[in-house]
Amino acid sequence: MKIAIASDHAGFRLKEALKPALKELNVEADDLGTYDENSVDYPDYAEKVAKGVASGEYERGILICGTGLGMCISANKVPGVRAVTVNDEFSARMSRAHNNANVLTMGERVVGPGLAADIIKVWLETEFEGGRHSRRVDKMTALEDSSRG
Ligand code: RB5
């Protein structure tokens, strides 16, 4: 699986800490920045990952900021993106199985590196269940389409 990962300055250390975990999972992860702890604006990095996922260049995306929240709000502005902020393994599993989430966001100020590694493992390995959940995901897409200006 090919994914994109990015963070702002507040998520930089967690992004770096997750790289060995991604390698262990045999996931090819393109790091789209930021590359140090200098202050940046999280929507710029959410845009890179979200557009990469929406275009099909990447199957999934991972975004990290201080809380995961700004990244999630920003990523969800891109049509085709279903971003979720996840801070526990149960939500990670359900966001894939029921919501077919394609972008995961986390907060470095919320989760430690051990839990974050467990979360990405569950999230990357859980398949969408389809069935009745497809109808609901399709309705989310329809809502997105009908809300366009
Ligand atoms: C940066 O201070 C912080 O606001 C950002 O990383 C994120 O938590 C926003 O949602």
Side-chain angles (χ1 to χ4, degrees), residues 8-10 42 65-71 109:
D8 70 355
H9 55 287
Y42 57 82
C65 60
T67 59
L69 301 175
M71 286 292 199
R109 297 169 183 163

Side-chain angles (χ1 to χ4, degrees), residues 6 13 23-24 47 59 77 92 102 144 148:
R13 282 177 299 169
K23 213 169 232 171
E24 229 168 81
E47 179 181 5
E59 199 173 323
K77 302 295 178 195
N102 51 13
E144 186 175 81
R148 275 188 237 257

Side-chain angles (χ1 to χ4, degrees), residues 113-133:
L115 176 57
D118 286 352
I119 287 171
I120 60 169
K121 178 172 165 51
V122 167
W123 190 76
L124 289 168
E125 291 181 349
T126 303
E127 293 298 327
F128 178 48
E129 281 177 15
R132 68 185 187 283
H133 303 296

Side-chain angles (χ1 to χ4, degrees), residues 10-84:
F12 172 73
R13 282 177 299 169
L14 182 57
K15 170 170 69 70
E16 295 304 305
L18 287 174
K19 285 179 179 174
L22 288 167
K23 213 169 232 171
E24 229 168 81
L25 292 169
N26 283 321
V27 170
E28 186 189 341
D30 280 357
D31 182 353
L32 305 187
T34 188
Y35 303 116
D36 56 38
E37 291 185 74
N38 292 322
S39 184
V40 292
D41 297 332
Y42 57 82
D44 297 335
Y45 295 87
E47 179 181 5
K48 289 174 201 269
V49 169
K51 287 188 172 169
V53 170
S55 72
E57 183 179 359
Y58 299 106
E59 199 173 323
R60 310 257 191 95
I62 295 175
L63 287 163
I64 302 161
C65 60
T67 59
L69 301 175
M71 286 292 199
C72 189
I73 294 167
S74 304
N76 276 319
K77 302 295 178 195
V78 176
V81 166
R82 291 177 298 280
V84 286

